Amino acid sequence: MAQFDKKDLERRMNGAVESLKGDLSGLRTGRANVALLDPVTVEVYGSHMPLTQIATVSAPEPRMLSVQVWDKSNVGPADKAIRSAGLGLNPIMDGQTLRLPIPDLTEDRRKELAKLAGQYAEKARIAIRNVRRDGMDSLKTDEKKGVISEDERKRFETEVQKLTDEIIAQADAAATQKEKEILGQ
Protein backbone atom coordinates (compact mmCIF):
# COMPACT_ATOMS: atom_id res chain seq x y z
CA MET A 1 0.00 0.00 0.00
CA ALA A 2 1.29 3.46 -0.90
CA GLN A 3 2.28 5.79 1.92
CA PHE A 4 1.27 8.85 -0.08
CA ASP A 5 -1.65 10.58 1.63
CA LYS A 6 -2.87 13.71 -0.16
CA LYS A 7 -5.42 14.48 2.59
CA ASP A 8 -2.64 14.56 5.19
CA LEU A 9 -0.55 16.93 3.06
CA GLU A 10 -3.59 19.16 2.55
CA ARG A 11 -4.33 19.16 6.30
CA ARG A 12 -0.73 20.13 7.11
CA MET A 13 -0.66 22.87 4.47
CA ASN A 14 -3.97 24.27 5.71
CA GLY A 15 -2.51 24.25 9.22
CA ALA A 16 0.20 26.61 8.02
CA VAL A 17 -2.45 28.96 6.58
CA GLU A 18 -4.45 28.86 9.84
CA SER A 19 -1.29 29.63 11.79
CA LEU A 20 -0.65 32.58 9.46
CA LYS A 21 -4.18 33.88 10.02
CA GLY A 22 -3.64 33.64 13.78
CA ASP A 23 -0.38 35.57 13.50
CA LEU A 24 -2.01 38.20 11.29
CA SER A 25 -4.88 38.65 13.75
CA GLY A 26 -2.26 39.73 16.28
CA LEU A 27 -1.21 42.66 14.11
CA ARG A 28 -3.20 45.64 15.17
CA THR A 29 -5.00 48.06 12.98
CA GLY A 30 -5.59 50.78 15.55
CA ARG A 31 -7.24 49.38 18.69
CA ALA A 32 -5.89 47.43 21.63
CA ASN A 33 -6.54 43.74 21.12
CA VAL A 34 -5.31 40.94 23.39
CA ALA A 35 -4.50 38.87 20.26
CA LEU A 36 -1.75 41.41 19.60
CA LEU A 37 0.41 39.60 22.16
CA ASP A 38 -0.31 36.04 20.93
CA PRO A 39 2.99 35.68 19.06
CA VAL A 40 5.02 36.76 22.12
CA THR A 41 6.96 33.93 23.78
CA VAL A 42 8.79 34.36 27.08
CA GLU A 43 11.83 32.42 28.22
CA VAL A 44 10.95 31.23 31.71
CA TYR A 45 11.61 28.07 33.71
CA GLY A 46 14.20 27.00 31.15
CA SER A 47 11.87 26.97 28.14
CA HIS A 48 9.97 29.29 25.83
CA MET A 49 6.30 29.73 26.76
CA PRO A 50 3.50 31.84 25.29
CA LEU A 51 2.92 35.02 27.28
CA THR A 52 -0.65 33.90 27.96
CA GLN A 53 0.68 30.91 29.97
CA ILE A 54 2.47 33.10 32.51
CA ALA A 55 0.14 36.11 32.67
CA THR A 56 -3.38 37.41 32.16
CA VAL A 57 -3.70 39.76 29.21
CA SER A 58 -6.58 42.24 29.07
CA ALA A 59 -7.58 45.42 27.26
CA PRO A 60 -8.99 47.75 29.96
CA GLU A 61 -9.04 50.74 27.60
CA PRO A 62 -9.20 51.12 23.80
CA ARG A 63 -5.55 52.21 23.66
CA MET A 64 -4.09 50.20 26.55
CA LEU A 65 -3.21 46.56 27.16
CA SER A 66 -2.60 45.22 30.63
CA VAL A 67 -0.46 42.15 31.34
CA GLN A 68 -0.83 40.81 34.89
CA VAL A 69 2.16 38.46 35.42
CA TRP A 70 1.37 35.72 37.93
CA ASP A 71 4.91 35.08 39.22
CA LYS A 72 6.91 38.12 40.30
CA SER A 73 10.16 36.58 38.98
CA ASN A 74 8.70 36.48 35.44
CA VAL A 75 7.97 40.22 35.15
CA GLY A 76 11.44 41.04 33.78
CA PRO A 77 11.49 38.27 31.16
CA ALA A 78 7.92 39.17 30.08
CA ASP A 79 8.92 42.83 29.69
CA LYS A 80 11.98 41.83 27.66
CA ALA A 81 9.95 39.45 25.44
CA ILE A 82 7.34 42.12 24.65
CA ARG A 83 10.00 44.70 23.79
CA SER A 84 11.90 42.28 21.53
CA ALA A 85 8.79 40.91 19.75
CA GLY A 86 8.95 43.62 17.10
CA LEU A 87 5.48 44.95 17.89
CA GLY A 88 6.63 48.47 18.71
CA LEU A 89 5.27 48.31 22.26
CA ASN A 90 7.10 49.64 25.31
CA PRO A 91 5.75 48.19 28.56
CA ILE A 92 5.51 50.30 31.70
CA MET A 93 6.15 48.25 34.85
CA ASP A 94 3.72 48.68 37.71
CA GLY A 95 4.55 45.94 40.23
CA GLN A 96 3.52 42.65 38.65
CA THR A 97 1.49 44.45 35.99
CA LEU A 98 2.86 45.61 32.67
CA ARG A 99 0.90 48.41 31.05
CA LEU A 100 1.24 48.70 27.30
CA PRO A 101 0.07 51.98 25.84
CA ILE A 102 -0.87 51.48 22.20
CA PRO A 103 0.62 54.35 20.17
CA ASP A 104 -1.31 55.86 17.28
CA LEU A 105 -0.49 54.28 13.97
CA THR A 106 1.84 56.59 12.10
CA GLU A 107 2.62 56.07 8.44
CA ASP A 108 6.02 54.58 9.36
CA ARG A 109 4.42 52.23 11.89
CA ARG A 110 1.83 51.13 9.33
CA LYS A 111 4.63 50.31 6.88
CA GLU A 112 6.47 48.38 9.63
CA LEU A 113 3.36 46.34 10.42
CA ALA A 114 2.73 45.67 6.72
CA LYS A 115 6.31 44.46 6.42
CA LEU A 116 5.79 42.19 9.45
CA ALA A 117 2.66 40.77 7.80
CA GLY A 118 4.79 39.99 4.76
CA GLN A 119 7.33 38.21 6.96
CA TYR A 120 4.56 36.09 8.52
CA ALA A 121 3.32 35.22 5.03
CA GLU A 122 6.82 34.17 3.94
CA LYS A 123 7.11 31.87 6.97
CA ALA A 124 3.79 30.28 6.01
CA ARG A 125 4.94 29.82 2.40
CA ILE A 126 8.13 28.14 3.64
CA ALA A 127 6.09 25.81 5.89
CA ILE A 128 3.82 24.91 2.95
CA ARG A 129 6.80 24.23 0.69
CA ASN A 130 8.33 22.02 3.40
CA VAL A 131 5.14 19.96 3.47
CA ARG A 132 5.33 19.71 -0.33
CA ARG A 133 8.94 18.51 -0.06
CA ASP A 134 7.89 15.84 2.45
CA GLY A 135 5.18 14.64 0.06
CA MET A 136 7.57 14.55 -2.89
CA ASP A 137 10.17 12.64 -0.84
CA SER A 138 7.50 10.14 0.21
CA LEU A 139 6.55 9.60 -3.43
CA LYS A 140 10.16 9.00 -4.45
CA THR A 141 10.59 6.52 -1.61
CA ASP A 142 7.42 4.68 -2.66
CA GLU A 143 8.70 4.51 -6.24
CA LYS A 144 12.07 3.10 -5.11
CA LYS A 145 10.28 0.46 -3.02
CA GLY A 146 8.25 -0.48 -6.07
CA VAL A 147 4.94 0.50 -4.43
CA ILE A 148 4.10 2.94 -7.24
CA SER A 149 5.27 3.30 -10.82
CA GLU A 150 7.17 6.24 -12.27
CA ASP A 151 4.03 7.42 -14.07
CA GLU A 152 2.02 7.33 -10.83
CA ARG A 153 4.76 9.25 -9.02
CA LYS A 154 4.76 11.96 -11.68
CA ARG A 155 0.96 12.19 -11.60
CA PHE A 156 0.95 12.45 -7.78
CA GLU A 157 3.76 15.06 -7.90
CA THR A 158 1.62 17.16 -10.27
CA GLU A 159 -1.30 16.89 -7.80
CA VAL A 160 0.93 17.88 -4.88
CA GLN A 161 2.29 20.89 -6.81
CA LYS A 162 -1.23 21.99 -7.76
CA LEU A 163 -2.35 21.70 -4.12
CA THR A 164 0.74 23.65 -3.00
CA ASP A 165 0.01 26.46 -5.46
CA GLU A 166 -3.62 26.69 -4.26
CA ILE A 167 -2.68 26.81 -0.57
CA ILE A 168 0.09 29.38 -1.15
CA ALA A 169 -2.45 31.52 -3.01
CA GLN A 170 -4.72 31.37 0.08
CA ALA A 171 -1.82 32.45 2.33
CA ASP A 172 -0.93 35.30 -0.03
CA ALA A 173 -4.56 36.45 -0.15
CA ALA A 174 -4.77 36.53 3.67
CA ALA A 175 -1.53 38.52 3.92
CA THR A 176 -2.55 40.96 1.18
CA GLN A 177 -5.91 41.56 2.88
CA LYS A 178 -4.19 42.28 6.21
CA GLU A 179 -1.64 44.60 4.57
CA LYS A 180 -4.47 46.59 3.00
CA GLU A 181 -6.22 46.77 6.38
CA ILE A 182 -3.05 48.02 8.07
CA LEU A 183 -2.25 50.59 5.40
CA GLY A 184 -5.86 51.82 5.47
CA GLN A 185 -6.56 51.12 1.81
Side-chain angles (χ1 to χ4, degrees), residues 52-107:
T52 55
Q53 289 185 3
I54 66 157
T56 303
V57 180
S58 62
E61 300 171 25
R63 295 232 175 249
M64 176 78 70
L65 286 174
S66 175
V67 179
Q68 179 67 43
V69 182
W70 302 324
D71 185 352
K72 198 174 199 172
S73 65
N74 294 336
V75 175
D79 177 64
K80 181 179 175 185
I82 293 168
R83 289 179 192 276
S84 64
L87 300 172
L89 300 173
N90 293 314
I92 300 167
M93 279 196 217
D94 183 14
Q96 285 183 238
T97 303
L98 298 173
R99 303 207 185 283
L100 297 130
I102 307 293
D104 287 332
L105 284 177
T106 63
E107 188 62 30

